[in-house]
Amino acid sequence: MASACLSDEENSSETDSSVSDELDTDECSDVETDSQKEPCRYYNRGGCRSGSRCPYLHVCKYALKGNCRNGSDCKLKHPGGRRSSSPGSNRAVDRSASSDVKLTDGRCYQWQLNDGNGWLDIKNNHIIEAQYSLPYTKSIKIYNTPYGAVSIDFNRMRVYRKRLKVRRLDDGNTVWIWYCTLSNKWIEYGQKDSKGNLGPVKSSDIEEKFQSNPSSSFTFNKGAETYEIRFTEMQQVGQKRKRRVNRRPLYRQQKAQAAGPQAVPALQSLHLGTKPQWQFEGDGGTWYEFRHRRRSPTECSVTSDDIERKYQQNQHSKMHFTVKEHSYELDFGAMIQTNLKNKRSRRVRRVEV
């Protein structure tokens, strides 16, 4: 029978999901809705007659998804206020794409689903953002949506096996972190190594080059060897081997405020006749219920019911528990548990049974 919690001290092997080497070239939806967060289809085709009166965003729809191949050479407006570098830009278009355009309604980020009838916010999307910020998290499955259980592929930014589209809107202030695989673990560029030496390149340096041209590459030296980070392939290439790289946002806690139309009425809500169960993700990707497992090598100080009682008191708080001699912190807002000694995190979830 599965134990309640796996000790991160005793089993530190990573379960990294493969980073996709295929560049996602799916376009943003062109479905016309009343939302002012939609990119204007006519602007993206070369010109919008409405100009500054257009209710839709005059931004590059490819840049909106983070895969514009033209980068700084793009003739269209990019998120964050960057203008075209082309001297032949249409002045009316430039005027409508002012630098104070925001892609969210004021929140740090918004995760949305589209079934063909317009984009709708996903409630409690801070949980999705928290998982997306972890470099080793390949996907997330959310429940109780109008479309049933929905699985989101973070690497390709798409929904598995459903005719839905997913997107992440950004306020333009996200700090993006770059990671590389080393000994089956994701390591942030610029972090100190085991000897306390800083890496030869910082994550911010890579991001600056990526923002200037997402289809280019970043080259740096370490000792006598030269390495190239190829953005379209998401790989670091050296003379002897290739390593996977990943780009994820630095997690930011949302401020409480009213949201727009909801695609998920209650991500954490329950139906009559069901019981909430708290689970953690094991090394093999299997989910296990929190249980005591007394007098076992992985004896846990809390059960699923203990966690639920604490959660009902404050759904944005944290709680502490132990697995044998190891101390953990469970963050309800981020839906992760963290080993307080080695700082390794695992996903947790609350499901209906």
Side-chain angles (χ1 to χ4, degrees):
M1 185 173 291
S3 60
C5 283
L6 295 177
S7 169
D8 290 327
E9 290 289 329
E10 298 169 351
N11 190 344
S12 61
S13 63
E14 289 285 339
T15 56
D16 301 326
S17 301
S18 297
V19 177
S20 171
D21 292 335
E22 177 182 345
L23 183 65
D24 184 5
T25 56
D26 290 340
E27 299 179 6
C28 293
S29 172
D30 280 336
V31 177
E32 290 187 317
T33 70
D34 293 332
S35 171
Q36 294 186 2
K37 302 299 181 286
E38 286 286 331
C40 174
R41 65 165 68 183
Y42 302 107
Y43 171 76
N44 276 270
R45 291 174 181 173
C48 174
R49 295 181 179 179
S50 299
S52 60
R53 300 187 305 276
C54 181
Y56 297 94
L57 285 175
H58 282 196
V59 294
C60 172
K61 61 184 179 182
Y62 298 104
L64 192 64
K65 293 198 71 176
N67 60 8
C68 177
R69 297 188 176 186
N70 295 320
S72 60
D73 295 326
C74 183
K75 296 181 180 180
L76 304 180
K77 167 78 175 180
H78 277 208
R82 294 190 303 278
R83 295 180 181 274
S84 164
S85 59
S86 169
S89 299
N90 182 282
R91 293 182 180 179
V93 171
D94 284 348
R95 199 164 50 241
S96 65
S98 60
S99 60
D100 61 354
V101 170
K102 293 183 182 296
L103 299 182
T104 67
D105 59 5
R107 287 175 281 174
C108 302
Y109 46 80
Q110 288 174 249
W111 286 86
Q112 299 181 327
L113 293 174
N114 190 335
D115 62 358
N117 294 310
W119 292 99
L120 298 176
D121 287 346
I122 302 176
K123 189 177 180 181
N124 294 330
N125 68 165
H126 64 282
I127 298 174
I128 303 176
E129 182 72 10
Q131 298 304 317
Y132 182 54
S133 67
L134 302 174
Y136 51 81
T137 305
K138 178 182 178 181
S139 62
I140 187 173
K141 191 171 187 178
I142 57 177
Y143 299 83
N144 301 334
T145 79
Y147 320 107
V150 173
S151 295
I152 299 174
D153 180 342
F154 286 145
N155 291 332
R156 299 189 178 185
M157 202 57 71
R158 68 180 184 182
V159 175
Y160 289 113
R161 295 181 292 277
K162 290 184 183 291
R163 292 187 176 181
L164 296 171
K165 291 188 176 183
V166 62
R167 72 178 182 183
R168 176 188 180 274
L169 300 182
D170 194 295
D171 66 352
N173 296 317
T174 293
V175 175
W176 292 94
I177 309 297
W178 286 81
Y179 302 87
C180 178
T181 51
L182 181 64
S183 300
N184 291 323
K185 292 184 179 181
W186 288 102
I187 306 298
E188 179 183 343
Y189 281 95
Q191 280 190 337
K192 293 182 179 180
D193 60 21
S194 58
K195 297 181 180 179
N197 299 318
L198 290 173
V201 61
K202 295 186 296 183
S203 182
S204 58
D205 296 331
I206 304 171
E207 179 63 17
E208 183 178 357
K209 181 60 180 295
F210 178 80
Q211 289 290 344
S212 67
N213 189 352
S215 62
S216 65
S217 64
F218 181 89
T219 303
F220 66 97
N221 297 317
K222 184 177 182 181
E225 188 166 359
T226 299
Y227 297 89
E228 180 185 15
I229 300 175
R230 298 175 180 174
F231 296 142
T232 56
E233 300 173 15
M234 293 302 282
Q235 288 184 342
Q236 174 186 295
V237 181
Q239 296 176 0
K240 298 180 180 180
R241 64 175 301 175
K242 298 179 180 179
R243 298 184 185 276
R244 291 175 293 158
V245 300
N246 207 346
R247 173 182 181 260
R248 293 295 172 89
L250 179 66
Y251 179 69
R252 293 181 290 166
Q253 184 68 49
Q254 291 271 35
K255 294 181 180 179
Q257 69 178 78
Q262 300 293 311
V264 185
L267 182 63
Q268 302 285 350
S269 67
L270 302 173
H271 300 293
L272 293 176
T274 64
K275 177 184 177 181
Q277 183 181 98
W278 285 86
Q279 302 175 345
F280 68 93
E281 185 178 31
D283 283 334
T286 304
W287 290 90
Y288 301 101
E289 180 185 357
F290 281 90
R291 295 181 181 179
H292 279 314
R293 297 297 173 212
R294 300 188 187 280
R295 294 182 294 279
S296 72
T298 53
E299 180 176 343
C300 185
S301 64
V302 296
T303 66
S304 174
D305 292 338
D306 296 331
I307 299 173
E308 178 63 20
R309 282 191 290 271
K310 181 69 174 179
Y311 176 78
Q312 289 298 335
Q313 294 173 9
N314 186 345
Q315 298 183 9
H316 299 284
S317 65
K318 300 176 181 179
M319 71 176 294
H320 293 83
F321 64 95
T322 60
V323 180
K324 278 298 184 178
E325 71 275 16
H326 306 300
S327 298
Y328 290 82
E329 180 182 80
L330 195 161
D331 187 331
F332 292 128
M335 294 299 279
I336 56 175
Q337 70 173 43
T338 303
N339 185 306
L340 295 179
K341 183 177 180 180
N342 62 21
K343 304 302 181 183
R344 186 185 176 200
S345 297
R346 294 180 184 274
R347 293 192 296 171
V348 300
R349 69 181 184 182
R350 179 176 182 263
V351 298
E352 303 171 16
V353 294

